[in-house]
DNA sequence: CCTGACACTTGATTTTTGTCAAGGGAATTG
DNA sequence: CAATTCCCTTGACAAAAATCAAGTGTCAGG
């Protein structure tokens, strides 16, 4: 573990309010590991032995059933994942793999569960974090059920533009096939829909996104804070 | 509030571990209300001023966007809803309406937030509950993204049969149009799919469901604990 | 530099799903 | 008891999306 890892992790909302000795004991049991690109480090159905914290790199959460796969989320540093399974001591509902070489901290679930019973500030932070995760999935599900493919794409691209600093041009943070899966469609469908959105103020060249007419695209997306976030 | 309400609520997982005085203070601020059938008591976007507990009746959680509506969940006693919004002091992501005459307890969010900071057993229970809610939405979303309409229907009906005590025949707990919305399809689509499932061991007559060949239906549904629950 | 793997696109086609319209039937209401 | 409302079903049609297949281009590795 690198010396300034501890300092950075300490600042995460999940840990920043903890008592020092609880934090120290939690970190004593933790360790950091490097994973190469494309490695599946969590398989759905496995017992949730660890809480994971992404320090560097990029991770995909995905789910499988009957030979099919779908992307549930893409994570970037710094953030935790699969907190809920850890807490309920239940099997993971999702698998996780690295999209690029990643540095990841692993905290044994037993230690986690023991320590949040002692440290009420930590417990509060977990409550807050879990409530946020819950709301994120609900928003995503609302989008899937209420919007068409084109609308989901338009909303996603406008949202990314906003996150990138309200730019009119930026690069896609993930591969298109992954984006398609995340948005609940096939890669072919995404490809065609992107083309059809050229009539609505969008231009995509490779992974470069250009909002030629953000307002017009907005009429397609109909952004909503209760789906797309604040 | 009825005298034995308090006793019953006390037994809910969320409250059973609480210190008595915290519980008392929480309940002092709470009140019970009767709602007629079909009344929307929560609108998405409104501030989350209350935690709701369904004592009697039936409640639908639904979401709207651009003139469309979709059913997110159907609740039965005894259970809480919209805990996450309450905790984050954020707007409701979903609306709620009664499907039948219902008796509902309302606990002011401010009291809730104050008291779970004092009572660590209550905090633990909230963590557990939230983690469970999170996993429930994830499972539902997995079903929506990975299964076809027919598969979702088959899985739902087998699951209900199991919940009803592994019966080969039972009555649908909700109207078909609601079920269709919950499963992410139109009522027409559900109607046709049910008919097509007659070749796969299912018979539906009005709201009566008959599993003529559960094993065959199981081949369509391909039940999975990581989607359908245990 | 060649090669293979892989991401992406495109076309053709099928399947699935949604939409619109109409009608039956059960339950509720006046 | 009649009238109405609402749920459900069905048919015809349109739209959306998935599938299959082929071809292009990029990139990493030999």
């Amino acid at each position: 573990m690198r010396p300034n890892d501890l300092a950075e992790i300490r600042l995460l909302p999940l840990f920043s309010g903890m008592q020092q000795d609880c934090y120290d004991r939690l970190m004593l049991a933790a360790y950091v590991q490097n994973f190469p690109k494309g490695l599946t480090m969590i398989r759905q159905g496995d017992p949730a032995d660890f809480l994971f914290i992404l320090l560097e790199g990029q991770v995909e959460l995905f789910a499988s059933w009957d030979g099919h796969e779908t992307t549930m989320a893409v994570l970037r540093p710094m953030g935790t994942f699969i907190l809920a399974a850890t807490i309920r001591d239940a099997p993971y509902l999702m698998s996780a793999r690295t999209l690029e070489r990643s540095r990841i901290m692993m905290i044994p679930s037993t230690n986690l569960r023991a320590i949040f019973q002692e440290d009420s500030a930590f417990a509060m932070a977990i409550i807050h974090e879990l409530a946020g995760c819950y709301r994120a999935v609900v928003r995503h599900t609302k989008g899937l059920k209420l919007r068409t493919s084109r609308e989901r794409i338009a909303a996603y691209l406008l949202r990314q533009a906003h996150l990138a600093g309200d730019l009119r041009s930026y690069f896609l943070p993930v591969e298109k096939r992954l984006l398609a899966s995340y948005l609940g469609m096939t890669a072919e469908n995404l490809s065609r829909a992107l083309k059809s959105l050229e009539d609505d103020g969008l231009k995509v060249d490779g992974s470069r996104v250009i909002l030629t007419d953000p307002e017009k695209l907005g009429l397609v997306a109909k952004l909503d804070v209760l789906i797309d976030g604040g």
Side-chain angles (χ1 to χ4, degrees), chain A:
Chain A
M1 197 183 303
R2 298 188 193 165
N4 72 334
D5 276 352
L6 275 178
E8 258 196 280
I9 293 169
R10 188 70 164 115
L11 295 176
L12 288 175
L14 200 53
F15 304 108
S16 61
M18 285 181 79
Q19 299 165 28
Q20 189 60 44
D21 75 300
C22 287
Y23 179 71
D24 291 342
R25 273 189 294 143
L26 193 63
M27 286 302 137
L28 213 61
Y31 58 98
V32 170
Q33 202 167 332
N34 280 299
F35 293 98
K37 174 177 176 173
L39 187 121
T40 300
M41 66 268 197
I42 296 175
R43 271 169 227 283
Q44 64 176 49
D46 285 354
D49 296 328
F50 297 95
L51 173 70
F52 288 70
I53 303 174
L54 179 59
L55 305 177
E56 271 177 39
Q58 203 175 15
V59 166
E60 175 193 9
L61 296 185
F62 65 101
S64 326
W65 177 83
D66 191 39
H68 301 280
E69 261 186 34
T70 190
T71 303
M72 300 292 286
V74 175
L75 308 172
R76 282 148 201 302
M78 311 264 303
T80 62
F81 50 105
I82 43 163
L83 179 58
T86 304
I87 282 170
R88 300 214 42 140
D89 198 11
Y92 296 125
L93 292 180
M94 297 183 276
S95 305
R97 72 182 145 220
T98 50
L99 292 175
E100 50 187 66
R101 183 177 158 73
S102 299
R103 211 153 53 87
I104 290 171
M105 169 175 277
M106 298 165 70
I107 301 177
S109 301
T110 49
N111 297 73
L112 186 95
R113 285 194 293 269
I115 288 176
F116 78 60
Q117 304 222 12
E118 291 179 43
D119 188 325
S120 76
F122 188 34
M124 292 303 125
I126 288 178
I127 287 178
H128 209 256
E129 173 93 359
L130 272 176
C133 291
Y134 172 79
R135 287 168 64 85
V137 195
V138 168
R139 288 202 309 266
H140 187 224
T141 308
K142 284 176 65 173
L144 286 171
K145 293 185 78 175
L146 290 167
R147 292 210 260 230
T148 64
S149 292
R150 292 180 94 245
E151 290 163 345
R152 290 200 295 279
I153 295 168
Y156 176 87
L157 294 177
L158 280 172
R159 186 82 189 114
Q160 289 300 314
H162 180 67
L163 293 176
D166 284 310
L167 297 177
R168 286 175 72 102
S169 173
Y170 63 95
F171 288 93
L172 285 176
V174 293
E175 289 178 351
K176 286 182 184 166
R177 51 194 293 284
L178 193 78
L179 178 58
S181 175
Y182 176 67
L183 295 178
M185 66 192 76
T186 59
E188 294 95 327
N189 197 351
L190 172 64
S191 192
R192 283 184 252 265
L194 284 176
K195 180 154 291 186
S196 92
L197 283 170
E198 288 185 6
D199 300 334
D200 296 283
L202 179 72
K203 185 80 186 62
V204 177
D205 178 33
S207 71
R208 173 174 218 111
V209 178
I210 304 153
L211 306 178
T212 56
D213 188 346
E215 308 232 328
K216 197 166 184 191
L217 197 60
L219 293 178
V220 177
K222 290 171 283 258
L223 290 181
D224 180 335
V225 286
L226 302 181
I227 296 182
D228 306 292

